[in-house]
């Protein structure tokens, strides 16, 4: 099973939520799950449009490819590049310069987790009582953390923590990371926006997810924790329990 929740956050209450997500279960020809989170950027509600386009086009592309016998290792990256082209075209049509979005997508075929990713939304894998970030943040602070110049908690406080280095809809050749990981029963997958990860640590995310069996309670609690700590951004989280799906 999977649970998902999005919230506009405390500071932007009354404004548009620029995050979008999907949690999709396909059954034909075989079961396939898709969990994705997109965080839009751009003024005049362009971010909202971009993130919504991202999850809609991704869902449609993945569904069509799966029903046509495609392999996730091939079609996930293609689907994300299709998103990039569509947002670029829409951005030109609207003359909305800088309309873009992050996108982190996880596809599960019962055996493997396939991850496709651009930007600073994240996918985590909780396995055997520890949590691992699967995706690299495409952000200024993410690069500094990987170089060892910043710790994860310093990155969470950094004044330039919102500067992203790659996103969809901004350039013709988008950087898209695609990789796979063999799933194990008991795995939990978390896909979330920086409105959560900027305020709640990976360990706290794991402890909250593992605290009970109710994933809906877990996602509600994670959103509440972000808001209690300031809720300065839109907050979106999807949690899936792999063991219950196969
Ligand atoms: Mg955000």
């Amino acid at each position: 099973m999977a649970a998902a929740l999005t919230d506009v956050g405390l500071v932007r209450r009354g404004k548009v939520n620029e995050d979008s997500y999907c949690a999709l279960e396909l059954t034909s020809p075989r079961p396939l799950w898709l969990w994705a989170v997109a965080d839009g950027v751009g003024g005049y509600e362009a971010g909202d449009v971009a993130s919504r386009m991202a999850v809609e086009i991704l869902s449609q592309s993945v569904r069509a490819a799966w029903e046509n016998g495609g392999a996730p290792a091939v079609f996930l990256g293609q689907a994300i590049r299709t998103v990039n082209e569509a947002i670029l075209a829409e951005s030109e049509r609207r003359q909305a310069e800088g309309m873009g979005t992050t996108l982190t997508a996880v596809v599960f075929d019962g055996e493997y987790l396939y991850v496709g990713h651009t930007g600073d939304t994240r996918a985590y894998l909780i396995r055997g009582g520890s949590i691992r970030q699967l995706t690299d943040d495409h952000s200024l602070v993410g690069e500094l953390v990987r170089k060892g110049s910043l710790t994860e908690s310093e990155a969470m406080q950094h004044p330039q923590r919102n500067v992203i280095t790659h996103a969809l809809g901004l350039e013709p050749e988008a950087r898209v990371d695609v990789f796979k990981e063999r799933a194990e029963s008991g795995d939990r997958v978390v896909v979330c926006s920086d409105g959560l990860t900027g305020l709640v640590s990976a360990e706290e995310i794991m402890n909250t997810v593992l605290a009970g069996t109710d994933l809906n309670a877990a996602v509600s609690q994670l959103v509440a924790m972000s808001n209690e700590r300031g809720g300065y951004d839109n907050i979106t989280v999807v949690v899936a329990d792999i063991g219950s799906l196969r």
Side-chain angles (χ1 to χ4, degrees):
M1 88 163 271
L5 189 63
T6 188
D7 187 84
V8 74
L10 214 57
V11 171
R12 301 191 187 177
R13 197 68 77 199
K15 298 203 174 115
V16 166
N17 186 339
E18 295 188 321
D19 284 0
S20 297
Y21 72 91
C22 67
L24 195 68
E25 181 175 353
L26 305 178
T27 52
S28 173
R30 286 180 292 117
L32 188 84
W33 291 266
L34 167 67
W35 309 294
V37 172
D39 179 349
V41 292
Y44 305 103
E45 305 196 356
D48 164 46
V49 173
S51 73
R52 212 171 40 222
M53 283 180 71
V55 296
E56 281 173 9
I57 293 166
L58 175 76
S59 304
Q60 288 162 6
S61 304
V62 166
R63 180 188 295 275
W66 185 242
E67 288 176 352
N68 286 318
V74 177
F75 68 62
L76 182 56
Q78 286 171 348
I80 295 173
R81 280 182 271 276
T82 302
V83 167
N84 185 57
E85 287 159 20
I87 296 173
L88 257 180
E90 181 64 15
S91 180
E92 276 167 28
R93 197 186 66 80
R94 292 172 173 248
Q95 298 181 310
E97 207 168 298
M99 171 177 153
T101 186
T102 72
L103 180 61
T104 300
V106 180
V107 165
F108 177 52
D109 65 357
E111 189 177 4
Y112 282 96
L113 297 161
Y114 301 87
V115 183
H117 166 74
T118 299
D120 69 346
T121 42
R122 290 182 182 176
Y124 288 102
L125 178 63
I126 300 173
R127 173 179 290 170
S130 63
I131 184 165
R132 175 158 56 97
Q133 186 178 331
L134 295 174
T135 48
D136 283 341
D137 292 346
H138 299 163
S139 66
L140 199 65
V141 293
E143 284 170 14
L144 293 173
V145 169
R146 284 194 292 283
K147 276 188 203 153
S149 316
L150 274 187
T151 66
E152 190 59 49
S153 57
E154 283 167 346
M156 288 168 77
Q157 310 285 337
H158 198 280
Q160 287 177 290
R161 61 185 177 266
N162 292 327
V163 178
I164 52 177
T165 47
H166 301 286
L168 302 175
L170 301 180
E171 53 195 1
E173 292 296 323
R175 165 155 171 201
V176 182
D177 297 344
V178 181
F179 50 91
K180 69 176 181 177
E181 170 98 26
R182 184 184 281 279
E184 294 178 8
S185 56
D187 283 353
R188 271 104 167 161
V189 172
V190 179
V191 187
C192 55
S193 64
D194 66 334
L196 177 71
T197 57
L199 292 164
V200 179
S201 72
E203 195 176 359
E204 290 172 313
I205 292 172
M206 176 180 73
N207 292 339
T208 307
V209 169
L210 296 180
T213 50
D214 183 356
L215 294 186
N216 288 302
V219 296
S220 298
Q221 201 183 334
L222 289 169
V223 167
M225 284 166 82
S226 304
N227 279 326
E228 281 158 16
R229 296 174 187 183
Y232 56 73
D233 195 4
N234 307 145
I235 307 147
T236 304
V237 57
V238 184
V239 181
D241 178 357
I242 296 303
S244 69
L245 297 176
R246 52 173 193 177

